[in-house]
Amino acid sequence: QVQLVESGGGLVQAGGSLRLSCAASGRTFSTLTMGWFRQAPGKEREFVAVLNWSDGSTVYADSAKGRFTLSRDNAKNTVYLQMNSLKPEDTAVYYCTATGRGWGPRVQSYDYWGQGTQVTVSS
């Protein structure tokens, strides 16, 4: 089993920045993909970005490209989501996720989830 713990959410004004962290522990995978989804009130959970742990390659949703950046700290088993130029439409609960398989855009592709961290962007 893999445990995921998110942190770093909070309140920020439009145009500001925030960095989310996701620390992973427990069982390791030969191929591990992990990253972030988000869910706003009244909407379905949507893909944001994922990272392949073995080589650091990344895939971003169109809404995240150019503003969000995934990175990793191998020593801490932690993935970071740096969010810049935040917009009110970025307001959502952000969930860290992981799978032992390759990435996919659907929630059903992932096996493990964190508890979520609230990001609120005010205008």
Side-chain angles (χ1 to χ4, degrees), residues 73-84:
D73 186 329
N74 290 330
K76 296 182 178 180
N77 292 323
T78 298
V79 169
Y80 303 96
L81 182 66
Q82 179 67 45
M83 303 186 293
N84 299 324

Side-chain angles (χ1 to χ4, degrees), residues 12-98:
V12 65
Q13 293 193 337
S17 298
L18 207 60
R19 189 178 75 162
L20 306 183
S21 300
C22 178
S25 62
R27 184 170 63 90
T28 59
F29 302 91
S30 58
T31 302
L32 179 64
T33 300
M34 62 186 300
W36 299 87
F37 279 67
R38 68 186 183 186
Q39 187 167 24
K43 294 186 176 181
E44 295 184 350
R45 193 169 298 186
E46 66 174 354
F47 169 77
V48 177
V50 293
L51 176 149
N52 185 312
W53 193 263
S54 65
D55 62 9
S57 62
T58 54
V59 179
Y60 295 92
D62 288 341
S63 61
K65 291 179 181 177
R67 300 189 300 125
F68 295 0
T69 304
L70 274 176
S71 61
R72 58 176 175 168
D73 186 329
N74 290 330
K76 296 182 178 180
N77 292 323
T78 298
V79 169
Y80 303 96
L81 182 66
Q82 179 67 45
M83 303 186 293
N84 299 324
S85 301
L86 283 164
K87 307 173 182 179
E89 49 262 47
D90 294 318
T91 295
V93 176
Y94 283 69
Y95 295 92
C96 184
T97 189

